[in-house]
Amino acid sequence: MSLALSVFTIVCVFLGAVFFLAGTLGLLRFPDTLTRLHALTKADNLGLGLVVLGLLPQVDWPLGALKLIAVWLLALLAGATVGQVLGGAVRPPPVSGAGESTP
Amino acid sequence: MSMSLGLVADSFLALLILGLAVWTIAVRGTYAAVVGFVAYGLLVALIWVRLAAVDVALTEAALGSGLMGLLLLRAVACLPPDAPAPASGRVGRVALRVVVGVLCAGLTAVLAAVVLQLPEPAPSLAAAAAQALPTTGLGNPVTGVLIAYRAIDTLLEAVVLVLALIGLWSLAADGAWGGRPGALRTREPGAALVLLAQLLPPVGILVGIHLFWTGANHPGGAFQGGAVLAAMWAIVLVAGLAAAPRVDGRRLRLVLVVGPALFFAIGLAGIWWADAFLGYPADWAKPLILVIEAALTLSIAAALGLLLAGPPASEPGPGGQA
Amino acid sequence: MSATTIFGVCAAALVGLGLYGLICHRGVLRKIIAFNVMGSGVFLLFGVIARRGGLVVAGAGPTADPVPQAIVITGLVVAFAATVLAVALLLRLAQATGQTTLDTPAPPPAPTGDR
């Protein structure tokens, strides 16, 4: 049983690390801010989620597990907010009317 | 000699931090340097964990990276770009850089040599600190040093925060004196930021109080808890959910000085109770320390938040001029 | 080779780097950032010495000497307060003169004719 749990942990944390790697690659290689943000938040949300999921069998129930889940939820909240704020900062202002001919 | 996995990770971390520091110093744009410094601060917090100094890691992450990042980002947004260097004297500047670079490399070499030749066994006060810790009723030796053995440092530091705030406020324009600090106000906070400012503070305040409370026996304490509380206040200010208080408010000033004042008063009483300034009577040490730490947490949170909020900005006060 | 040696040499390099940036940068905000890099190098040297002085407790994880740790916590808070003050002075300087460096200010364009 404990061997199965250990394998579960290793697989989940490894998958999480793969997501972090992919996200970092996207952050470095994607062409503009919005796609980079997309790569980054994917990595944070899924990667951290998988790492937390993998660690759950290794900590004390229920307090340690709740702490880990709280960390993930807080990271989700922060990541989503930062994504919105940065996206709003780089988004071009909405085009009104004909667009090009404004002085 | 084979390197263990931990040493490989430590070497990688050290290289990453050095690279980030070089980038922070060398990069062209000031904004990029600030972003680099924030990331650098977070990684330095990891070094503190690896050095078994979790109390310091918490302080570094909350203060050295978090609050400092907010401060520096705000400064970059307010400042005009640096004027280009005059073309004359270019050769002289390059020569100066080379000389300074050589001298700084020399300083690094000397410090590294000192590190490599540190005495063995290492001099340490850890045993002495652990031995006397039961008399304070605390379980965390770092809190014991901060609040009992070296209480004078901590008292002066709490006073330094108030002095820094007085210095900051005295930079206000004459007409703005007594008004509300306005540096953290955002012109149009987005809906996401407002939502964060509504959701996060209840959790963050709980975490701040927990850090203060658990600091007696585990990593944490007044400074870490106060920094988290100040960060929550800063989020609320940035999102525009509340305005910063007027700096001439009496209640605000009371909150700012209650920590250092109580610390000083209990310290003075120690002259009679415990035969030493800042000494605690044996049976009362733990409750007195908790009272001091609670008041300090409150004062530190208020001082840090107001330090971030900047000097009072011009605004029409009641009866003042527009 | 041990972790304290690695981080100690890293801290020594950070002190040199920060000092270089402090002297060579023209922009004051860059100087402030470099000063903080130098400061964190100094703090890390304290951390290395604390870790070396840690007690060996059977059954517990690694520990560090609490005295340097407490001094670093004090130092971090004071460094933050000093940085706030430095940034505020810089913002005031920029507000008053439009300058963000410590170069000798160019002589103001003298009003012609009334001298």
Side-chain angles (χ1 to χ4, degrees):
Chain A
M1 191 60 202
S2 81
L3 179 73
L5 285 180
S6 295
V7 170
F8 176 76
T9 296
I10 290 170
V11 169
C12 279
V13 172
F14 180 77
L15 278 179
V18 170
F19 269 102
F20 270 108
L21 196 67
T24 310
L25 219 62
L27 179 69
L28 294 175
R29 303 292 303 177
F30 277 172
D32 62 75
T33 309
L34 289 181
T35 45
R36 280 184 198 160
L37 270 179
H38 171 79
L40 198 63
T41 41
K42 270 287 180 306
D44 276 2
N45 298 349
L46 268 170
L48 185 63
L50 281 168
V51 170
V52 166
L53 184 68
L55 291 180
L56 281 184
Q58 311 293 330
V59 296
D60 324 324
W61 279 95
L63 262 183
L66 282 178
K67 276 184 198 167
L68 274 180
I69 293 172
V71 166
W72 182 53
L73 289 179
L74 286 174
L76 279 184
L77 182 64
T81 311
V82 170
Q84 280 279 329
V85 171
L86 278 178
V90 300
R91 188 184 50 190
V95 183
S96 59
E100 301 295 310
S101 63
T102 44
Chain B
M1 197 163 80
S2 71
M3 270 178 113
S4 73
L5 206 58
L7 277 189
V8 174
D10 288 345
S11 310
F12 187 70
L13 183 60
L15 281 178
L16 199 61
I17 283 175
L18 274 182
L20 206 50
V22 169
W23 190 77
T24 301
I25 300 290
V27 72
R28 227 160 236 294
T30 308
Y31 179 75
V34 170
V35 172
F37 183 74
V38 173
Y40 165 86
L42 283 176
L43 288 176
V44 168
L46 282 185
I47 291 195
W48 286 112
V49 174
R50 296 293 300 167
L51 288 173
V54 182
D55 292 88
V56 187
L58 287 170
T59 317
E60 173 80 46
L63 208 68
S65 182
L67 298 190
M68 193 87 95
L70 182 58
L71 174 79
L72 293 174
L73 282 174
R74 183 177 65 77
V76 167
C78 294
L79 283 175
D82 293 343
S88 61
R90 199 177 173 81
V91 179
R93 276 203 304 277
V94 172
L96 182 74
R97 282 183 176 214
V98 171
V99 172
V100 172
V102 169
L103 288 178
C104 289
L107 174 68
T108 292
V110 170
L111 283 175
V114 170
V115 168
L116 292 174
Q117 292 175 17
L118 283 174
E120 201 70 55
S124 170
L125 291 168
Q131 199 176 19
L133 200 61
T135 60
T136 63
L138 297 169
N140 178 359
V142 179
T143 305
V145 175
L146 277 173
I147 212 79
Y149 312 146
R150 299 290 309 171
I152 185 82
D153 291 350
T154 312
L155 173 61
L156 290 177
E157 173 193 16
V159 174
V160 161
L161 279 180
V162 178
L163 289 180
L165 197 58
I166 293 173
L168 180 74
W169 284 354
S170 61
L171 290 172
D174 282 348
W177 177 251
R180 299 174 191 276
L184 286 182
R185 262 199 311 248
T186 321
R187 205 151 295 140
E188 287 170 13
L193 191 59
V194 173
L195 182 69
L196 183 76
Q198 286 164 335
L199 287 179
L200 200 56
V203 182
I205 290 170
L206 206 63
V207 170
I209 294 172
H210 171 76
L211 275 176
F212 139 70
W213 180 254
T214 196
N217 291 319
H218 302 286
F223 292 108
Q224 294 88 343
V228 171
L229 292 178
M232 292 306 119
W233 194 20
I235 289 181
V236 170
L237 291 181
V238 169
L241 292 182
R246 293 177 58 91
V247 301
D248 56 1
R250 180 146 302 184
R251 206 180 303 166
L252 177 78
R253 296 184 176 187
L254 202 67
V255 169
L256 280 173
V257 298
V258 65
L262 200 65
F263 200 171
F264 188 68
I266 292 178
L268 267 188
I271 295 176
W272 291 279
W273 290 350
D275 294 327
F277 176 54
L278 291 169
Y280 305 109
D283 301 337
W284 285 85
K286 181 79 182 276
L288 283 176
I289 286 173
L290 278 181
V291 167
I292 291 173
E293 284 243 294
L296 269 184
T297 307
L298 191 66
S299 292
I300 288 168
L304 290 177
L306 286 168
L307 283 173
L308 281 172
S314 57
E315 80 168 44
Q321 297 143 326
Chain C
M1 196 69 155
S2 68
T4 50
T5 316
I6 293 170
F7 291 138
V9 173
C10 177
L14 290 176
V15 173
L17 257 173
L19 185 61
Y20 174 82
L22 176 66
I23 297 173
C24 286
H25 271 299
R26 283 175 64 247
V28 178
L29 198 63
R30 299 299 298 267
K31 281 183 190 284
I32 293 172
I33 293 172
F35 187 78
N36 274 295
V37 169
M38 186 173 88
S40 76
V42 174
F43 292 147
L44 281 175
L45 285 175
F46 272 71
V48 164
I49 287 165
R51 176 71 192 89
R52 281 169 44 86
L55 290 178
V56 181
V57 185
T63 63
D65 186 351
V67 179
Q69 286 189 65
I71 291 173
V72 169
I73 290 176
T74 313
L76 277 169
V77 177
V78 173
F80 176 76
T83 306
V84 167
L85 213 49
V87 166
L89 283 167
L90 167 63
L91 289 175
R92 196 81 177 92
L93 175 77
Q95 205 182 7
T97 66
Q99 223 186 326
T100 58
T101 64
L102 295 179
D103 299 344
T104 348
T112 48
D114 62 346
R115 202 175 284 199

